[in-house]
Amino acid sequence: LRRKRGGAKILAQGFSPAYSEIYIRYGAKRQVVFRAGKKCPQSIEKLSGKYFDKGGILLPQAYLKFENFLKAASAIEHDLRCYDDTLAFIAEIRDRHILAKRINKLFPDGIKSKAFSNLLKVSLYSYQRQGALFTAKAGRSLLADDMGLGKTIQAIAAVEILTKAVGAERILVICPTSLKHQWKQEIEKFSSRNAIVVEGLLAQRTMRYASDSFYKIMNYDVVFRDYDLIRRWNPDVIILDEAQRIKNWKTRTAKSVKKLESKYTIVLTGTPLENRLEELHSIVEFVDRFRLGPMFNFLAQHQHVDEHGKVVGYRDLSKISKTLTYSSSKKQK
C-alpha cells in the first residue's frame, strides 16, 4: 500500500469517515468512546463535551443520562452511529447502578439493617451479611471465601436479597453430583423456598424443568445434554458451586456452562487459583468475560516463560487483585 502513489500519505492520515460514531474500546477496561467524523457539526461536538472527556471517553457520571445525549444529538442532522454492543454495555452499567440503589433502600444501614432479621430462618454473622450484600449488589460475582465460612448460606441470602430487589424467582444451582441433595437440604433449612433436584433419565429431567419450583439443582455433567432445556426455563440467577470444575476452559463442561445465560450469577469456590493462572481466568470469564481481557494477553502480562514455553515465573500479580473487586470474609470476621 505504501508503494502505491499517495498510499503512504493516506495510511498516515488513517480512516476518517464523514459519519461520527460511539463505540466500545475493548481492552483491560471497556471504555465508551465518541469519535467525531469529518462532517460532524460543531453543535454535536459541543454537546459531546458535556458527556465525554477531551479524549472522547464517556464520563462515569454520564452513563446514567446517556439517553439524553442521544436524544439531543438525534435532533441535529448528522449521521451519528451508536453500536448495539455499546448500548448493551451502557444498559449493563445503568442496571447495576439501579440494582445497588434498590438494595441500599432495602438495607439502608448495611449489615446492621433490620431487614436481615427476617431474611432467612437463621441469623447471619456480620461477615456473612457483608458477603451477601456484596454478592447481590454486584449482580454477577465471585465469592471465594475459605471452606467453613458459609459460602452456601451467603449465596442463599444473596438470592433472597435479589428476590426482594428485582423479583428473581428462577434460580439454577449447578454443583458436583455429591452436593445436589445437600444443597436442597440447606435451601429448605435456611429459607422458605422449594427446591427440586434435576436427575434421572431425559424424560424425568424434562418434567422437573417444567415443574414449578423456585430452585432447580443439577450437576455439571448434564449441562451439555440439558442446555436447551435450561435455556427454555430461562433462569434469573445461576449459582455455580465448586466452580473450579470449569477451571479448564478446554473441556466440554466448561464450554457448556459458559454458554448459559442469566442476568445474575453467583460463583462459589474456595480455590479460584490452584495451579495455573488460566484457571482463574476461566472461572472469572463466566462472571464477566471482559474483566481480565483476552486470555493470551492476560497470560503474557503475568507469566514468565522459557524458550520452550514452560512457565518459570510470574509478575505483576498484585494488578490482578486490583482488577478483581473482591471481599475478604476472613478479614471482616
Side-chain angles (χ1 to χ4, degrees):
L1 288 171
R2 287 193 179 93
R3 286 195 294 268
K4 290 186 177 183
R5 181 178 295 180
K9 182 180 179 181
I10 293 172
L11 283 172
Q13 290 174 345
F15 177 59
S16 182
Y19 62 84
S20 300
E21 59 183 347
I22 302 169
Y23 62 93
I24 292 182
R25 179 181 295 156
Y26 288 94
K29 182 180 180 182
R30 285 178 287 174
Q31 297 174 317
V32 176
V33 180
F34 169 77
R35 187 203 58 76
K38 287 190 293 187
K39 295 185 178 181
C40 181
Q42 191 174 5
S43 54
I44 286 188
E45 291 202 51
K46 185 178 179 180
L47 176 66
S48 70
K50 299 178 181 179
Y51 297 85
F52 298 84
D53 65 16
K54 292 181 180 179
I57 298 172
L58 186 64
L59 297 166
Q61 63 270 25
Y63 278 87
L64 301 180
K65 50 185 180 180
F66 183 73
E67 287 104 341
N68 297 339
F69 170 75
L70 288 182
K71 185 177 180 180
S74 66
I76 303 170
E77 189 173 347
H78 178 60
D79 185 4
L80 173 63
R81 304 180 183 183
C82 185
Y83 303 109
D84 289 343
D85 61 339
T86 306
L87 293 173
F89 175 59
I90 291 172
E92 179 185 321
I93 299 295
R94 182 197 61 205
D95 290 348
R96 195 182 304 161
H97 173 83
I98 294 172
L99 174 63
K101 191 175 179 180
R102 288 180 178 176
I103 292 175
N104 286 335
K105 188 175 180 180
L106 291 168
F107 297 83
D109 298 319
I111 62 173
K112 296 181 179 179
S113 299
K114 292 181 180 179
F116 273 111
S117 61
N118 59 0
L119 189 69
L120 297 177
K121 294 178 181 178
V122 295
S123 298
L124 296 171
Y125 292 113
S126 296
Y127 74 88
Q128 292 174 333
R129 293 183 178 193
Q130 186 70 38
L133 280 175
F134 159 77
T135 302
K137 284 183 183 179
R140 302 182 67 87
S141 64
L142 167 64
L143 186 62
D145 285 345
D146 288 336
M147 184 182 298
L149 292 178
K151 292 188 291 294
T152 300
I153 195 170
Q154 289 180 65
I156 295 171
V159 167
E160 291 300 318
I161 294 172
L162 287 171
T163 299
K164 293 178 181 294
V166 295
E169 58 183 6
R170 293 184 301 276
I171 318 300
L172 177 66
V173 178
I174 304 176
C175 63
T177 304
S178 60
L179 297 179
K180 288 191 298 185
H181 290 278
Q182 182 178 327
W183 261 96
K184 177 178 169 61
Q185 291 172 2
E186 297 202 11
I187 288 168
E188 294 172 348
K189 176 183 177 182
F190 298 136
S191 74
S192 302
R193 308 295 181 180
N194 61 330
I196 287 180
V197 175
V198 178
E199 56 189 356
L201 299 175
L202 178 60
Q204 294 172 297
R205 299 200 306 274
T206 301
M207 290 177 59
R208 290 176 183 267
Y209 284 114
S211 65
D212 183 22
S213 66
F214 192 83
Y215 282 91
K216 297 192 192 300
I217 306 164
M218 65 182 302
N219 55 293
Y220 284 96
D221 300 329
V222 296
V223 173
F224 173 77
R225 285 175 284 173
D226 290 4
Y227 174 76
D228 290 333
L229 292 169
I230 297 169
R231 188 180 60 179
R232 283 198 292 270
W233 185 54
N234 192 24
D236 299 317
V237 183
I238 294 179
I239 300 174
L240 294 189
D241 190 19
E242 300 291 343
Q244 62 271 23
R245 293 297 181 95
I246 64 167
K247 67 181 181 181
N248 186 347
W249 60 274
K250 298 177 184 178
T251 63
R252 186 177 73 175
T253 296
K255 290 177 180 178
S256 300
V257 169
K258 290 178 186 180
K259 284 171 61 181
L260 298 176
E261 295 181 358
S262 67
K263 191 166 187 178
Y264 308 105
T265 289
I266 302 172
V267 175
L268 308 175
T269 176
T271 53
L273 177 61
E274 290 183 300
N275 299 308
R276 301 185 301 274
L277 277 180
E278 53 259 48
E279 297 173 358
L280 175 64
H281 188 283
S282 181
I283 293 171
V284 172
E285 194 174 37
F286 182 71
V287 180
D288 182 351
R289 67 190 183 96
F290 301 104
R291 192 70 174 187
L292 296 177
M295 184 180 288
F296 76 91
N297 190 47
F298 174 71
L299 296 180
Q301 286 180 347
H302 300 291
Q303 289 185 165
H304 288 293
V305 296
D306 61 18
E307 63 272 18
H308 303 294
K310 182 180 178 181
V311 178
V312 294
Y314 300 94
R315 61 176 177 270
D316 297 331
L317 294 181
S318 60
K319 290 183 179 180
I320 300 176
S321 64
K322 291 179 182 178
T323 301
L324 298 175
T325 302
Y326 69 97
S327 175
S328 174
S329 291
K330 265 191 159 183
K331 292 180 180 178
Q332 289 160 0
K333 188 177 179 182

